[in-house]
Amino acid sequence: MGTASAQTPGYPGKPIRFVVGFSAGNSIDSVARIIAQHITSKTGQAVVVDNKTGANGMLAAAEVARAQPDGYTILISNSSTITVNPSLYKKMSYDVKRDFAPVSLVVSVPFILTVNPQNDPVGTAPNLKAMLDLAKARPGAYSYGSAGVGNLTQLSYELLNGMAGVKMTHVAYRGTAPAQVAVLAKEVDSTFDNPSSVPKIKAGQLRALAVTSAQRWHELPDVPTIAEAGYPGFDISFWVGALAPAQTPPAIVKTLSDLIATAAQDPEVKAKLAQQGNIRMLAPQQFETQIDSETRQYADIIRKANIALSE
């Protein structure tokens, strides 16, 4: 993920284009628009959000990888596209390490392990360890739903299965919403849901046993992390961040990273970002380190669980 040594004074001197690989209204798009509006207000330069959907964000990533490395075409992407896809797809039109210069991580979002409280015995287990003890006693008898083969929700469960020494049956759905419906309908015993499940958790329709991040989720302060629940070191979150084409001048990468980071200092913008996830601004080098670490972690999970796409 190298960058050239040249410097470009006066950045930004023209409109910036944020390329987002997901549809308008998606959480990634929402983060992009919040940051775009903030940068425009700080610099007076327009930041245009361009939604280039398709191939799980990979079409947008490929376009930015080929863009001029001048800081005016920036990818706003997620952990799946950047750190998971390289181990899932045999052929990709971009190479993360070679083609991108990390700019800043912006927000990260945990998954929430949910069960149906009406689904005995899994749904009535007093805590995560008790639920996994049930699964350990009956290998394959209990199931979990994911948002799709190779999705972070599956990888999270496979990591947990490995750490706990259990075997649960995987059922793949097309998104977290259908997986949540399956838990409510008792088609599967549990799932890793996203924070959209919080209203149902607070209403008692779902039970939250743990969250995947290293810190507790602010909307569910009484729900422990998986690490706290007895599995130290467990830490998986879905993040949204910004990346520039490789060879973008370091001065531009730093300027853009600093501009994004100031969003956390503006109370109004900070409040908007907090609705999307835990604000976690990482500088370029820190972000690069996290990308490298996660890429290795997910590659290991995918290999051990023998996860492969059918296509």
Side-chain angles (χ1 to χ4, degrees):
M1 299 182 191
T3 54
S5 59
Q7 295 187 7
T8 304
Y11 175 83
K14 63 180 182 180
I16 298 171
R17 178 169 163 253
F18 278 179
V19 182
V20 179
F22 302 88
S23 59
N26 178 282
S27 60
I28 302 156
D29 171 78
S30 297
V31 171
R33 292 179 187 276
I34 293 167
I35 294 297
Q37 192 173 44
H38 172 71
I39 292 175
T40 296
S41 69
K42 294 286 286 186
T43 66
Q45 288 292 345
V47 181
V48 179
V49 176
D50 188 0
N51 299 92
K52 294 286 184 180
T53 61
N56 194 20
M58 293 193 293
L59 293 183
E63 180 175 329
V64 175
R66 297 190 298 266
Q68 188 73 20
D70 55 8
Y72 292 100
T73 303
I74 302 298
L75 177 68
I76 305 298
S77 194
N78 65 350
S79 41
S80 294
T81 304
I82 301 301
T83 62
V84 177
N85 286 357
S87 294
L88 282 179
Y89 293 87
K90 293 181 180 179
K91 293 182 180 180
M92 291 177 55
S93 53
Y94 62 91
D95 180 289
V96 173
K97 191 76 174 174
R98 179 194 66 209
D99 294 334
F100 294 104
V103 175
S104 176
L105 190 148
V106 182
V107 298
S108 65
V109 185
F111 295 108
I112 305 167
L113 198 157
T114 59
V115 294
N116 184 335
Q118 304 301 318
N119 186 18
D120 189 60
V122 172
T124 57
N127 51 48
L128 177 62
K129 190 173 186 309
M131 188 207 82
L132 291 172
D133 284 344
L134 288 170
K136 194 169 187 177
R138 298 182 62 197
Y142 299 105
S143 59
Y144 75 90
S146 79
V149 175
N151 185 275
L152 272 174
T153 52
Q154 183 190 9
L155 301 193
S156 297
Y157 234 119
E158 290 300 333
L159 177 60
L160 181 59
N161 284 345
M163 293 177 76
V166 306
K167 175 63 177 176
M168 295 182 74
T169 300
H170 174 225
V171 182
Y173 294 89
R174 292 189 174 185
T176 53
Q180 181 189 104
V181 170
V183 172
L184 291 168
K186 303 180 185 179
E187 292 176 8
V188 292
D189 294 298
S190 63
T191 190
F192 274 120
D193 211 333
N194 60 37
S196 68
S197 63
V198 169
K200 286 186 173 62
I201 293 168
K202 291 183 175 180
Q205 295 171 276
L206 293 169
R207 272 186 69 214
L209 295 184
V211 297
T212 60
S213 53
Q215 295 81 34
R216 295 192 181 196
W217 179 238
H218 57 81
E219 292 190 54
L220 298 170
D222 296 329
V223 176
T225 67
I226 289 177
E228 290 175 326
Y231 304 93
F234 193 105
D235 180 12
I236 288 181
S237 291
F238 174 89
W239 53 253
V240 180
L243 300 97
Q247 306 308 316
T248 299
I252 288 179
V253 170
K254 185 178 187 308
T255 297
L256 184 57
S257 180
D258 290 347
L259 277 171
I260 292 173
T262 61
Q265 300 164 13
D266 183 307
E268 185 177 343
V269 181
K270 183 178 180 179
K272 290 179 181 178
L273 284 175
Q275 292 177 351
Q276 302 300 323
N278 289 318
I279 299 172
R280 190 161 175 251
M281 302 290 182
L282 292 184
Q285 187 57 55
Q286 295 172 307
F287 189 22
E288 179 172 352
T289 298
Q290 174 151 333
I291 288 172
D292 289 344
S293 175
E294 284 189 10
T295 300
R296 291 191 297 269
Q297 178 188 29
Y298 296 145
D300 187 56
I301 296 171
I302 289 168
R303 179 182 57 80
K304 288 179 178 177
N306 197 28
I307 299 170
L309 297 177
S310 58
E311 54 197 58

